Amino acid sequence: MQIVERRNFFGKNAWHLQAFARTEILAHDVRLDDQFDSYSDVATLSSLQYEMHLNERGEKQESIQRMTTTGTELAATNATQTRVVPARAIPGTDAVFAHRGLGQSSRSARPVYDGHKLYDVRASYAGAAASVEVPAGTFTASKIDLRVFEAGVN
């Protein structure tokens, strides 16, 4: 996952975030080469557009969704207008960034949209910062407890 850039997105100051899901080792004929892009308002992290570019088992699927809270904004010709209520809903790619700054005794709750369904995601600080080693390097990270709810059920 990465922040690609901060830019003007159809007249709004936005973050362009990107996440990838790729198969490193072929396991049981499962091959993923997926890319997820989101464009979110810098100040509120409210979603402006969410894109899924899927390539799974050789089958490609594209989905571009322009987010709206009113249903009156016009979508680009290559995008589907998606009405998301509440307006604070963010795509899953943005959820990591929305919960990054949690400190001791902190909690956060945001609606998260996966391109099909709306979930309630609640995050809380769950442990002190520690060194974590991953293939990309060694980083300091705090433990965050995430709870995902669909229609009130965990």
Side-chain angles (χ1 to χ4, degrees):
M1 176 166 256
Q2 64 185 1
I3 297 174
V4 177
E5 62 188 341
R6 183 175 173 167
R7 61 175 273 202
N8 180 304
F9 188 79
F10 295 99
K12 295 189 179 187
N13 195 13
W15 291 114
H16 175 194
L17 305 174
Q18 220 170 40
F20 300 94
R22 292 194 175 111
T23 305
E24 294 291 325
I25 300 171
L26 188 59
H28 303 289
D29 198 33
V30 175
R31 181 166 292 166
L32 300 176
D33 189 15
D34 300 341
Q35 178 178 324
F36 306 89
D37 290 89
S38 68
Y39 299 86
S40 300
D41 184 276
V42 168
T44 65
L45 284 183
S46 294
S47 182
L48 304 171
Q49 184 164 295
Y50 181 60
E51 303 175 7
M52 292 187 294
H53 309 280
L54 307 179
N55 185 357
E56 300 177 359
R57 294 184 179 175
E59 293 182 32
K60 293 185 178 186
Q61 185 179 16
E62 300 277 327
S63 173
I64 300 173
Q65 299 177 26
R66 182 73 52 85
M67 303 307 183
T68 175
T69 56
T70 65
T72 60
E73 297 92 345
L74 295 176
T77 56
N78 65 339
T80 301
Q81 181 174 284
T82 302
R83 188 165 186 229
V84 179
V85 177
R88 294 182 60 236
I90 57 175
T93 50
D94 296 18
V96 172
F97 291 97
H99 299 300
R100 276 177 48 191
L102 290 180
Q104 285 182 318
S105 303
S106 291
R107 295 182 184 281
S108 174
R110 290 291 299 251
V112 174
Y113 181 68
D114 74 352
H116 303 287
K117 294 181 181 179
L118 191 64
Y119 301 91
D120 288 314
V121 176
R122 298 176 194 160
S124 59
Y125 179 84
S131 182
V132 178
E133 188 174 333
V134 295
T138 302
F139 303 91
T140 301
S142 297
K143 185 176 180 182
I144 305 295
D145 180 41
L146 289 177
R147 305 273 183 200
V148 180
F149 295 85
E150 182 180 1
V153 178
N154 188 356

